[in-house]
Amino acid sequence: MIYYTAAEANFWRVFLTWYGSVIPRVLPQALASAALGYVYEATGLAGEQYTLIHHPYVLEMLGTVLGFMLIQRSNIAYQRYWEGRTSIELMCSKWADASIMLVEFERPGDEKRADADLFRARVCHLFSLLSALAMADLREDWKCVSELGTLPPDCPFGICVSGAAVAPGNAR
């Protein structure tokens, strides 16, 4: 995945990025084909009456097929994006449903417990934290933060309690 910052997100940086691009894999074949075509045309191997581009029909067909392929690829990528976005929305809505059910299950009846409001606030806090950490993990924010060097070395994923790192099984 290519990470962008506001300062680096310009046309030329995106256009000239090799990591994650198809250009490094395609460029050698394209240059070899262009060189072969140039040699074929320059040496006159086909003769005078047979030039490399005799009729534009070939280029029209190539352009049509290439355009169709690019549109289909973009359409598939767009569908994959929205399928993932729909799944994320479904996940968050299920967590919201679970938190609402838990809060309503603990709603005080005739007697009011002293810690009922605290419990409901804690449940809402934990579910919102769950959602925020899931979004940060899906966006892989921990990679950006670790590349910047802002995490202490003893805090995995930046989760620390009073200066000490919290192991995944020992979280409060």
Side-chain angles (χ1 to χ4, degrees):
M1 179 173 215
I2 303 172
Y3 297 104
Y4 302 104
T5 62
E8 297 173 333
N10 62 33
F11 173 76
W12 290 110
R13 187 209 181 271
V14 173
F15 183 72
L16 298 175
T17 298
W18 288 90
Y19 177 74
S21 176
V22 73
I23 293 175
R25 291 179 280 172
V26 173
L27 194 60
Q29 290 89 356
L31 290 177
S33 297
L36 189 62
Y38 177 75
V39 168
Y40 181 76
E41 187 72 28
T43 58
L45 291 174
E48 286 293 322
Q49 61 184 357
Y50 299 108
T51 60
L52 189 61
I53 301 172
H54 184 66
H55 198 276
Y57 180 72
V58 176
L59 294 178
E60 289 174 6
M61 289 304 297
L62 181 64
T64 302
V65 170
L66 184 63
F68 180 74
M69 287 174 44
L70 286 173
I71 289 171
Q72 289 296 356
R73 183 180 170 126
S74 299
N75 191 20
I76 290 170
Y78 188 69
Q79 287 174 351
R80 287 181 61 203
Y81 168 78
W82 280 110
E83 181 181 356
R85 186 65 184 101
T86 303
S87 297
I88 290 170
E89 192 66 34
L90 180 66
M91 173 184 69
C92 291
S93 71
K94 293 296 182 184
W95 286 342
D97 292 345
S99 68
I100 289 171
M101 286 182 192
L102 194 56
V103 166
E104 286 298 315
F105 178 74
E106 187 58 32
R107 186 176 3 169
D110 294 335
E111 76 267 356
K112 181 162 173 84
R113 293 182 10 188
D115 60 346
D117 291 336
L118 180 63
F119 173 77
R120 286 195 295 276
R122 185 72 172 166
V123 166
C124 291
H125 169 72
L126 290 176
F127 272 100
S128 66
L129 183 62
L130 174 69
S131 180
L133 286 176
M135 292 297 110
D137 191 52
L138 285 174
R139 288 189 331 207
E140 297 179 345
D141 283 348
W142 51 272
K143 284 185 180 178
C144 294
V145 173
S146 64
E147 288 176 4
L148 294 174
T150 56
L151 285 179
D154 59 344
C155 287
F157 305 111
I159 302 172
C160 298
V161 175
S162 67
V166 175
N170 298 337
R172 292 187 204 176

